[in-house]
Amino acid sequence: MSERLYLYAITSRGGAPPGGTGGERGLLGELVYPVPYRDLQALVSRASTEAAEAVAANVLRHEQIVERLMERAALLPVRFGTLLPGEERVRALLAERYAEFTAALARVADKVEFGVRVLSQGQPGSEPTTGPLPSAGSGPSNPPENGDRPGHRYLQARQAEHRRETARQAEARHLADLLDATLSACAAETRCSLLLTPHLPVCAAYLVPRERVAAFEAAVAGLQATLPEYRFLCSGPWPPYNFVGAAGGGPC
């Protein structure tokens, strides 16, 4: 059976320290080492299919390794569980996507990713619906007064839910605009998602130059001080998962 290699990241050969990894141990305790192609290199370790099993310990170890490698060089993180059959296939990948990887490394050089989640706490737009909508055909056999007819109550409930949804959308858009106005000056690129849940109106990712990290974190703290009715959860720095590869999943 041919040797299998587990991929962690793609880096520039000129941007990594001698040896590429500083003796980092990867999944299954194997040494992480570089496989070069021109001015790129893939950081890999020898592995079996066991290393690619999506158990908590493996996923956490993968992320820890990529984060430590990120401290030493600009990199393109590879999604968890990527195995290739030997160094020749790794070099073939680097050759096939050389232009893409080179351009992506230039984009993320000297930058890190931060995440910002905004949690809504008791805002009018995030009030949950209180129970199921009444059926338009439910109710007693003897029709009640006009204002209490089942059909009328059903329409009232639908109108109330529509108002709540409209308010949630307006709240999410307002918060997204506020984040953009406040944080975009500290970031090179932004990814933003709206209304993931009623109480999570905004979730955003920012590609932040390293020299702007302190300013970015201060700007988030300023938003929290100004709007205490929300929670602004800032996490990072992370490898730039949301800014490389298809759907932010890394280059492979």
Side-chain angles (χ1 to χ4, degrees):
M1 182 179 295
S2 62
E3 176 185 54
R4 294 192 180 195
L5 297 179
Y6 185 96
L7 274 66
Y8 300 94
I10 309 296
T11 72
S12 168
R13 292 176 71 182
T21 66
E24 187 71 56
R25 290 283 173 177
L27 292 168
L28 306 182
E30 293 287 342
L31 184 69
V32 178
Y33 70 95
V35 176
Y37 173 79
R38 295 175 63 177
D39 56 345
L40 297 178
Q41 60 185 8
L43 301 179
V44 306
S45 66
R46 291 178 175 82
S48 64
T49 54
E50 180 185 351
E53 294 176 359
V55 296
N58 286 351
V59 174
L60 178 60
R61 183 62 181 155
H62 172 94
E63 181 60 28
Q64 289 172 337
I65 294 164
V66 174
E67 287 179 33
R68 283 206 283 269
L69 295 172
M70 178 190 73
E71 296 172 358
R72 304 181 183 124
L75 57 76
L76 307 179
V78 174
R79 67 167 61 93
F80 171 80
T82 301
L83 285 170
L84 289 179
E87 291 188 6
E88 288 309 308
R89 183 64 191 94
V90 174
R91 289 192 181 91
L93 171 68
L94 296 178
E96 291 162 7
R97 302 177 64 180
Y98 177 82
E100 175 189 345
F101 291 162
T102 300
L105 277 168
R107 281 177 53 226
V108 303
D110 298 317
K111 301 178 183 72
V112 291
E113 180 175 321
F114 278 84
V116 176
R117 292 188 298 159
V118 184
L119 301 184
S120 178
Q121 304 181 96
Q123 295 299 300
S126 55
E127 293 173 2
T129 303
T130 54
L133 296 176
S135 168
S138 62
S141 55
N142 295 323
E145 297 298 323
N146 288 347
D148 195 38
R149 286 179 178 173
H152 182 75
R153 286 187 281 113
Y154 173 79
L155 290 176
Q156 283 184 320
R158 291 295 300 269
Q159 289 170 350
E161 177 58 26
H162 177 71
R163 286 193 297 270
R164 282 190 288 268
E165 181 60 26
T166 299
R168 285 194 288 264
Q169 292 175 355
E171 175 189 42
R173 175 48 55 194
H174 171 72
L175 288 167
D177 290 344
L178 182 62
L179 287 179
D180 183 63
T182 307
L183 302 179
S184 60
C186 301
E189 296 183 40
T190 304
R191 301 284 185 271
C192 187
S193 299
L194 304 184
L195 288 175
L196 300 180
T197 73
H199 289 280
L200 179 59
V202 178
C203 183
Y206 297 87
L207 188 63
V208 180
R210 289 183 183 274
E211 69 271 15
R212 300 292 292 163
V213 165
F216 181 87
E217 292 176 325
V220 176
L223 284 171
Q224 184 63 81
T226 303
L227 297 169
E229 65 271 28
Y230 296 97
R231 291 184 64 197
F232 292 83
L233 304 181
C234 181
S235 62
W238 307 112
Y241 283 105
N242 282 290
F243 299 93
V244 298
C252 296

